[in-house]
Amino acid sequence: MSNPTLVMYDEEFREVNEVIERLLKEANAKVIFLVDKNGQLISGVGETERFDTTSLASLTAGNIAATGGLAKLIGEKEFSILFHEGEKDNLHISIVGGRVILVVLFDNRSSLGLVRLRVKKSSEELSTIFEKLMNKSEEREKRGSSDFPFAEITDDDIDNLFS
Amino acid sequence: MSFINYASREINCKIVYYGPGLCGKTTNLQFIYQRTAPDAKGKMISLATETERTLFFDFLPLSLGEIRGFKTRFHLYTVPGQVFYDASRKLILKGVDGVVFVADSQEERIDANIESLENLRINLKEQGYDLDKLPYIVQYNKRDLPGAMSVDELHNELNPTNVPEFEACATTGEGVFETLKAVAKLILIDLKKGK
């Protein structure tokens, strides 16, 4: 398999949320999302209830994938920052640690400069957390001690889902 | 590649519907969308051209219920079927957990089916996947059309590895949920093994 399954534990989830909560305040942003490169929403803070977060996550990942494809065509590894400017709201999208996507939605109460500056700092912290997370998963895999919730499910459990 | 979140107790999986142009991938998703309870589905997104041909992908998030306290969510994607959209198709296969190959049963589309299936294998390989090791289902769509080939013939051409196969008519919904359930089940069994 080209990519191992991404597993998020409580401890790292809290750490990640602390970082993006702080970024939300420091960058004066409206909403911040963290999305897996495959389009799965990892976490979101701010006015998340106003948005269709699942669709946002999937489209962001599609966007990153498409621009990544463009980058390769012109000989770049990737475009690590995307910026979309709207009439009122803007989106700042960046790749963190080569693996997850950080989406910052902000309006005229903030500025692109401020967001870029704060994102840079938070990205480093997030990278460290995700690296730790990957190591943790790998270690567990090596030990063979899977605490995987699905290891114990029965065929009946699966059948019940579809009944 | 599934995503397991212990904090929110969720498991997310990605299913991709693949197949030649106009074989009915989007129609499969539309039928699922129409027949799913509002609380179990999200918004369906279609990135399509003005003539309703898929340009980048269709996306439909579904939640199936809980297993052992974990919510199971499936993200359904289709690829653009037309040959020249190959670069986009590759992107959508990233992180896939299970594949449905939707074949067009009409005799004049058999070459397009074969070409698309080969293309699927190649594109998966580029991403580091092996179709024979992935949860994978074949659907023979458009069974209602007069020019449809027999299932035996289609099987010989398109399913040499004997994966589960279903007959379908996506416009009326026949076989659509059977296909979805089968691939979801294979993915969950795969997860159970812990890959």
Side-chain angles (χ1 to χ4, degrees):
Chain A
M1 209 52 71
S2 61
N3 263 321
T5 298
L6 176 64
V7 182
M8 176 63 82
Y9 300 98
D10 285 318
E11 186 193 345
E12 284 78 11
F13 191 67
R14 263 199 313 276
E15 290 177 11
V16 162
N17 278 335
E18 273 168 30
V19 175
I20 54 176
E21 288 272 11
R22 197 174 344 116
L23 176 61
L24 184 78
K25 286 197 198 95
E26 289 182 349
N28 229 354
K30 285 168 96 170
V31 192
I32 294 180
F33 295 108
L34 261 183
V35 179
D36 176 50
K37 266 195 171 174
N38 302 318
Q40 327 267 19
L41 180 73
I42 297 172
S43 186
V45 293
E47 305 165 25
T48 48
E49 67 288 342
R50 280 185 45 216
F51 299 93
D52 178 354
T53 50
T54 313
S55 302
L56 219 140
S58 145
L59 286 175
T60 307
N63 196 348
I64 283 284
T67 42
L70 283 176
K72 288 207 178 69
L73 284 179
I74 64 162
E76 278 290 326
K77 190 170 150 266
E78 65 186 9
F79 293 125
S80 52
I81 295 176
L82 306 180
F83 175 58
H84 300 305
E85 189 177 302
E87 267 178 33
K88 277 189 250 133
D89 292 330
N90 315 295
L91 276 177
H92 183 282
I93 303 173
S94 54
I95 302 174
V96 174
R99 155 126 218 177
V100 291
I101 305 166
L102 178 65
V103 186
V104 181
L105 192 150
F106 64 98
D107 59 16
N108 56 14
R109 288 173 291 175
S110 184
S111 70
L112 178 58
L114 178 69
V115 170
R116 279 192 77 151
L117 183 74
R118 302 297 190 200
V119 160
K120 203 171 172 193
K121 189 169 152 255
S122 303
S123 290
E124 284 164 16
E125 293 174 51
L126 289 170
S127 288
T128 316
I129 300 171
F130 278 99
E131 202 156 301
K132 199 170 87 183
L133 203 56
M134 291 312 287
N135 290 340
K136 206 166 169 177
S137 301
E138 269 171 33
E139 250 172 55
R140 283 181 195 232
E141 207 164 289
K142 263 188 219 149
R143 282 207 313 264
S145 68
S146 166
D147 55 350
F148 201 67
F150 265 40
E152 292 160 19
I153 63 162
T154 60
D155 288 351
D156 284 345
D157 284 334
I158 295 176
D159 281 330
N160 285 341
L161 262 190
F162 301 105
S163 58
Chain B
M1 191 206 66
S2 49
F3 169 43
I4 302 162
N5 192 334
Y6 280 86
S8 56
R9 302 195 78 74
E10 275 179 15
I11 293 177
N12 292 283
C13 304
K14 177 172 178 177
I15 300 173
V16 174
Y17 283 70
Y18 211 92
L22 293 174
C23 71
K25 302 173 288 295
T26 302
T27 314
N28 260 274
L29 257 65
Q30 281 166 343
F31 187 81
I32 294 166
Y33 181 77
Q34 284 160 13
R35 293 300 167 91
T36 307
D39 56 340
K41 69 186 174 192
K43 214 162 120 192
M44 178 163 168
I45 289 179
S46 287
L47 303 180
T49 64
E50 283 174 1
T51 51
E52 293 192 10
R53 302 296 303 270
T54 304
L55 181 63
F56 194 6
F57 59 77
D58 304 303
F59 168 70
L60 175 61
L62 284 183
S63 54
L64 274 188
E66 286 192 8
I67 292 190
R68 303 267 162 131
F70 273 78
K71 279 177 236 147
T72 53
R73 288 182 201 276
F74 287 88
H75 289 179
L76 276 48
Y77 286 83
T78 67
V79 297
Q82 294 174 87
V83 176
F84 55 88
Y85 287 134
D86 199 38
S88 308
R89 268 195 298 278
K90 284 179 194 172
L91 299 176
I92 293 149
L93 284 174
K94 276 187 186 168
V96 65
D97 292 302
V99 178
V100 173
F101 183 80
V102 182
D104 189 328
S105 295
Q106 297 175 93
E107 197 164 6
E108 64 265 31
R109 296 298 285 164
I110 188 68
D111 289 340
N113 288 326
I114 293 169
E115 190 186 350
S116 175
L117 193 55
E118 277 171 11
N119 178 255
L120 169 63
R121 237 173 228 288
I122 293 165
N123 285 344
L124 279 172
K125 209 168 177 185
E126 271 184 34
Q127 312 278 348
Y129 295 102
D130 180 352
L131 182 61
D132 299 328
K133 291 185 183 142
L134 270 180
Y136 167 49
I137 303 279
V138 176
Q139 181 191 78
Y140 305 122
N141 193 22
K142 307 196 185 182
R143 297 306 302 156
D144 56 321
L145 293 187
M149 291 167 70
S150 76
V151 172
D152 280 347
E153 286 173 295
L154 287 163
H155 175 93
N156 287 339
E157 295 283 358
L158 303 172
N159 192 6
T161 52
N162 278 318
V163 298
E165 55 188 16
F166 293 89
E167 292 183 57
C169 171
T171 45
T172 60
E174 205 178 305
V176 168
F177 274 98
E178 287 80 355
T179 308
L180 173 65
K181 281 176 190 174
V183 72
K185 203 169 165 180
L186 286 184
I187 292 172
L188 293 174
I189 291 169
D190 220 41
L191 274 174
K192 185 184 159 187
K193 285 186 221 146
K195 282 194 219 175

